[in-house]
Amino acid sequence: MMEKMPLSIIYDVTKQCPWNCAICCMGASPKPEECANELSHSQKLNLMEQIAAVAQEREVRIDFSGGEVFTDLRNVEVLEYAAKLLGREKVGVSSSGYKIGDTLAGRLSKCISDCEMTMDSVPGTSYSLRPKGYAEAAAQALPFLQEYGIQTGIQTVLAKENCKEGTLRALYTWLCEHRVDNWSLLRFYPSGRGAAYAGQCITEEEEAWAVRLIQQMDWENASEVKPEIDFHYTMKGHPKHSQVCRCVRKSIGILPDGRVTSCFWAIDGEMRIADGKFALGSVLEKPLQELLSGEKAAYWMACEHSCELSKPEGKAA
């Protein structure tokens, strides 16, 4: 029997978000009426129990994302319950920084190990793919998280507009000056609402150039106070690179309405799963543990796959 590897769960707890980014990977919305089909509060808590059951069989880490997690502060109770069941070190949050001040950061310090925010250009600069004030929200939240000992990360999505030497050098300098713990980089992938911006995808040559530039900046910086560089595993030119798909073997996504997808990138701007083979089922119909041992999950576990998002067969689910 194949040994089960640690499982990373990305749980998009809500579709609601105040920002309405042009390249949102899931098509989040600031309008509550467009987000009405997410799990109820009690169902979210039950989902944490389902995840805890999976953790009895394999190591599990959950990252809460969205949308924006903190559009509804009751979601903090879900984080707290996850930490109670799994341990604080197994719980993280991806946020824009929205609503994170002293009180919320203090509460989060008891239930999450890390918080990652997105910043594609330094605060105070114009960036057309994000709303005005987006980078500033992360910058304002950062000192509160640091004050309470929460590990901080900044994620940068590399697109045509920001994959430039001046932009990347300015970002690296800002992260060093503000003592950010981790800098995560991934190339823009046109999923969700971002599917309308395929022209922002960088080429393989631009990706390789960006990896070399960032590695060079890191090597040239002898200071101990600098972020750890973390390139996405699909990006070439660094030790973590791999062509092997992580679907089910290493990661899954859970959508706001409880549907489970083998790949959290495999959705369109209407939150439809891009191809039926990525749809594992719903936690409202079967427990997560059962979905992960079912026939659809077995497709991904049976053998190694390369990325199948670009393959045309199938329909949105």
Side-chain angles (χ1 to χ4, degrees):
M1 180 180 294
M2 181 184 297
E3 182 181 355
K4 292 183 178 179
M5 291 177 275
L7 181 68
S8 172
I9 298 176
I10 307 297
Y11 174 31
D12 290 325
V13 67
T14 182
K15 186 180 176 182
Q16 191 170 351
C17 182
W19 297 107
N20 206 24
C21 294
I23 57 171
C24 178
C25 64
M26 68 171 286
S29 172
K31 300 177 181 179
E33 62 271 19
E34 295 182 3
C35 312
N37 65 340
E38 70 182 51
L39 298 181
S40 68
H41 187 64
S42 61
Q43 288 170 333
K44 292 174 185 178
L45 295 175
N46 177 263
L47 175 57
M48 297 306 104
E49 295 174 358
Q50 294 187 40
I51 291 171
V54 174
Q56 297 298 310
E57 297 184 350
R58 62 194 294 193
E59 182 181 341
V60 169
R61 173 184 163 83
I62 180 170
D63 184 79
F64 288 83
S65 188
E68 169 54 61
V69 176
F70 303 123
T71 50
D72 184 351
L73 291 178
R74 290 182 303 167
N75 287 329
V76 181
E77 296 176 14
V78 185
L79 271 69
E80 290 169 335
Y81 195 42
K84 179 181 178 181
L85 295 174
L86 301 173
R88 170 183 173 272
E89 71 282 359
K90 301 294 186 184
V91 181
V93 169
S94 295
S95 171
S96 65
Y98 180 71
K99 288 188 178 179
I100 297 180
D102 184 76
T103 300
L104 181 53
R107 190 173 173 187
L108 292 175
S109 69
K110 299 178 175 62
C111 62
I112 68 170
S113 62
D114 59 276
C115 180
E116 183 175 75
M117 299 174 287
T118 300
M119 186 180 290
D120 297 330
S121 62
V122 296
T125 59
S126 176
Y127 188 63
S128 69
L129 300 179
R130 301 289 185 187
K132 184 178 180 180
Y134 187 80
E136 288 76 8
Q140 290 170 8
L142 184 63
F144 295 107
L145 297 166
Q146 292 169 327
E147 176 68 23
Y148 284 95
I150 298 171
Q151 184 175 1
T152 57
I154 290 293
Q155 181 182 85
T156 297
V157 181
L158 295 173
K160 289 281 189 183
E161 186 171 340
N162 66 347
C163 194
K164 301 173 182 177
E165 183 168 356
T167 301
L168 295 178
R169 285 193 180 277
L171 266 171
Y172 182 70
T173 298
W174 192 95
L175 298 177
C176 291
E177 291 175 347
H178 290 81
R179 296 175 175 266
V180 172
D181 296 310
N182 182 276
W183 190 18
S184 171
L185 296 114
L186 71 159
R187 62 181 177 226
F188 168 65
Y189 186 84
S191 67
R193 190 158 54 238
Y197 290 82
Q200 283 289 336
C201 293
I202 59 175
T203 65
E204 289 188 0
E205 292 76 17
E206 289 168 328
E207 176 187 309
W209 169 84
V211 170
R212 290 195 302 270
L213 173 67
I214 292 163
Q215 288 174 331
Q216 179 185 353
M217 290 191 294
D218 186 51
W219 293 333
E220 291 175 350
N221 184 358
S223 172
E224 293 183 0
V225 183
K226 61 180 182 178
E228 180 180 350
I229 306 298
D230 183 19
F231 295 105
H232 191 261
Y233 77 95
T234 59
M235 296 178 69
K236 298 177 181 178
H238 62 97
K240 187 179 172 183
H241 168 68
S242 173
Q243 297 281 14
V244 178
C245 174
R246 297 189 174 190
C247 287
V248 183
R249 289 182 164 213
K250 291 187 177 181
S251 65
I252 59 169
I254 302 178
L255 302 180
D257 61 3
R259 285 174 297 150
V260 182
T261 172
S262 60
C263 176
F264 44 83
W265 296 107
I267 55 175
D268 65 18
E270 301 300 322
M271 289 293 291
R272 294 172 298 202
I273 297 176
D275 189 302
K277 66 188 170 190
F278 295 105
L280 302 184
S282 170
V283 297
L284 294 179
E285 298 171 357
K286 292 182 179 180
L288 181 60
Q289 198 169 19
E290 188 173 336
L291 295 177
L292 291 176
S293 59
E295 183 178 346
K296 289 195 170 184
Y299 168 80
W300 300 100
M301 293 292 289
C303 62
E304 289 187 347
H305 296 255
S306 57
C307 180
E308 299 194 11
L309 281 175
S310 60
K311 296 183 179 181
E313 68 271 12
K315 298 180 180 180

